[in-house]
Every structure is written in structure tokens, then in C-alpha cells.
Amino acid sequence: MARAVVVGVDSSTQSCKVELRASEDGELLGFGSAPHPHTVPPISEQDPAAWWEALVIALGHARRAAGDVDIVSIGIAGQCHGFVPLDAAGRVIRPAKLWNDTTAAPELAALVAEVGAAEFARSIGSVPTAAFTIAKIAWLRAHEPSSFARLRTVLLPHDYLAYRLTGRFATDRSDASGTGYFDPAENVYRIEHLQRIDPEVDWAPMLPEVLGPEGIAGTVLPEVAAELGIRAGARVSAGAGDQHASALGLGIRDGDLVCSFGTSGVVVTTTPAPLADESGIVSGTANLTGGFLPLVCTLNGAKVTDAFARILGVDHAELSRLALAAGASGPVLAAYLDGERTPNRPGAAGLLADITTEVTREEIARAAVEGVVFGLRVGVEGIDRLGIDTGGDVFAIGGGARSAATTQVLADALNREVRLVDAAEPVARGAAVQAAAVQHGATVGELGEAWRPPQLRAIEPRGAGFTAERYARYREAAAVTALDA
């Protein structure tokens, strides 16, 4: 007899990853992945059809690995902020602009100047950056008016995949809270912000329904089920933004910190109360359990260490070894290689400061790792300034967290123990938790706690003063990059 399974999907910038987990206890039964088209900011676009093709391939791999299974529900987590424009027939008008596309920076700056940072923070919990969907909608109107005239539906990446599965337009409050026109405290769209782009457009019918934590986007259409090789009628849960699903997959509790080292660098915690940061450092997004997920995202995550491994002509293991062998001296890196989102400097470039004729490969490697980690320490300090509890456990996740240097420097920078857990794909895991909650009629929070992954090991800091002087110098170097504006 086929075993009942739930599907967790992570549709990220780089790839689609799929986990099949046993519906009753979360046991991992199958995994599959498929790449997405490569992008290079400042222009970062993908054809949404490529996301669907990758999902079909990745699900096929996972099903073959799992054997005889019956898919009963599907949860989809996707890269946040991306703008998928559809016409009246539900067709994609143009390639989707992704979160790390910074070409809408001028349009976003004009919107913030008109609305005001304080009003944005009050009304949506965040001060939007060029990453946010609202900026990309404004860009479309300014640069492609004929495409804008055809616009009838605005979706996010995870919404689009759910639409392909179910034929229904729906989203969830976690992903909606990164658009720039949704208030997660009141759970309502702020149409007035879209009206700043074009007051003549009837915006409300263009926006998908925002579902709650245990919401159901729909069921898999018969023709789609046939394409995927699964039964029709499987439920599709509300879905999520990727970092929000990751927090659920890790089972984090109020006060815990998650530092994610992927394409971007992200630090999040979870809290029951809404927040508003007028400085724009912390986004007041919603989590998947009905509360809030203070979030700081940098554009420059593991791709920084990718770049320096290439420059030094080493693999990642050797880059890590070099970084850990460095002493306390040497250059520091303001790692804004492709512009930056936090702080909001879309036109910035990286700055390697304090190079001398005595510089070593070890010191360059360490600077690269620190450049990523210190960017997240700035984010932690931003969350702390809002009075939000961050005194719980610290978790490191993402591909970059496989580097011993990254996790050690993180422990040093925060002067706190850093934990690694047995969750290779926390985003897909969180999406599967949500799908299982829908199937069992449980709350997402209860199931997230029950499926909390076990800890692998912890990394201890090497002393409070190990990075203090270097971090102070990093802040000075990072401040210089403000001159790019």
C-alpha cells in the first residue's frame, strides 16, 4: 500500500528543491532538485515557466527516490518579492523581476520620498527597498508602459506555482508582507501605496487573496496531476516566503536567531508582536504561525565567498582553511559586491580596505568570510535596537554554513554559541510542515514544534575580543561605501 506523503517545495533563486515526507511523522522519504536559470544583478530576471519546469523535474526525482507513495498535500515556499505580471488570460506578460534585481532603485526612491519612510514603516511594518515587489511594479509602468497596460494580476513566485497547480490566485501573509503594499499587523492590503504608482488603476482585483497559516490555496487540477504523475485533488497549502518557511522548518521559538548563508545573507527571529523600523534595517514581515518575523536581508551572502574562492584559485574547503589560519591583522571587506539591500545602497560596490605589501592569502580569505558575517551582525544589532528578544539559540543554515570558517567567525562575531541542526533543506522542510498541518487539521505551529529537527553540534566562540577591533574597522569601511550615492 502506498505511503501517504506531503511535498515541501523550495523554489529559490538558484534552483527548485523538493522533499517528500511521510504525512504521519515527517520522515524524509525522497529528495529531488533542478536548477533555475542563472542571473547576475543588477538585472536579475527569470521566466516563471522555468520554475514550473524545474518543479516537475525535481518532483519526479523525489518520487522515484521515495518509491510507492501517495501525495496528499503540497506546500510551496518561494523566493520573496519577485514580480510575476499576468494578463487578463492569466499568461505571463514578461520575465519576472527577482528580489535581487536592483534596476527599480530610482522608482523605489521616488515612492519612499513621496510616502515617507515613517509612513511606510507604520502602515506595512517595513521601509521597502528595490527588492520589494512595489518597486518592480513602478519600474514596469515607467519603462514598459505597454506591458503595464496589460497587467491584470500581480503574483509572487510561490503564488505563481500554486496557480499552476490549482488555477487559483492566492498567497499567504508571510510572502505578502514583503510586497510593500500589505499590512501584516492588520492583514489588509494597503492599496493607497499602489495608487501612488497609478491612481487610475483598479488595483484590488489584481491582488491574490491572502490566506492564513492553515489556509488552502486549492487542490491540484486533474490535467496537472496527470503531468506530475500524482492523483488529482491533492491539497495545496497557503505557501510561504522562503525564509519564513525555513524558520518553521527549524522549529524556532521566540528569541531564537537564524543566520542563513545562501545567495543572500539573512538573519531572522520570531516574535508575537508587530514591529516597525523607520531606519529600514529590519523588515517587519509576518511568520507562518500568526505572529511576526523580524528579518534583515543582505544581497551579498555565500556568493561573496564564491567570488573570493575563484579569485584565490581555491575550493571552498581550502578557502575555509585559509580563513581559519589567519591572524587578527589584515584587510577588512565591505562585501557589497553587487550593490546592497541592507543597508540600502543599490549602487555600491565592494571595498577591500587596509591592504599592505604584507597581506597574505589567509587574511584575504578571512576578510571575505567576515564581510558576509559582519553584514549579518549589523542586522542582529538592528533587531536588538527595536527591543526584540534575541537571547535564544543561534542557528546557522544554508550552503555557506557548511564552511567551518563561516560558523566559527559567526560565533566569534556574536560571542555566542552557534548551533547546526539536521535540516539540510529547512525551507522545503517548513513547506512540508505546512502541507502536513493542512492535511491533519493541526495548527502549523504545533506541527513545526513536533517536527523540530535534532541538533548536530555547536560551535563555541573564541573570546569576546576576537573580532571586536576588526568589526569596528569593518563598520568604518562600510560607511565609506555610502559615498556611492
Side-chain angles (χ1 to χ4, degrees), residues 250-296:
L250 295 170
I252 72 167
R253 305 174 177 120
D254 291 351
D256 289 348
L257 279 173
V258 178
C259 296
S260 176
F261 298 91
T263 304
S264 59
V266 180
V267 59
V268 301
T269 187
T270 186
T271 181
L275 62 140
D277 180 15
E278 293 183 20
S279 76
I281 296 295
V282 184
S283 294
T285 64
N287 65 15
L288 293 192
T289 60
F292 299 86
L293 196 81
L295 181 150
V296 180

Side-chain angles (χ1 to χ4, degrees), residues 243 246-247 250 258-262 395-401 419-421 423 426:
Q243 299 301 330
S246 176
L250 295 170
V258 178
C259 296
S260 176
F261 298 91
F395 299 95
I397 64 170
R419 300 172 184 267
L420 301 179
V421 296

Side-chain angles (χ1 to χ4, degrees), residues 450-462:
W451 286 17
R452 198 173 202 235
Q455 180 177 315
L456 293 175
R457 61 189 178 91
I459 297 92
E460 298 291 338
R462 293 179 288 188

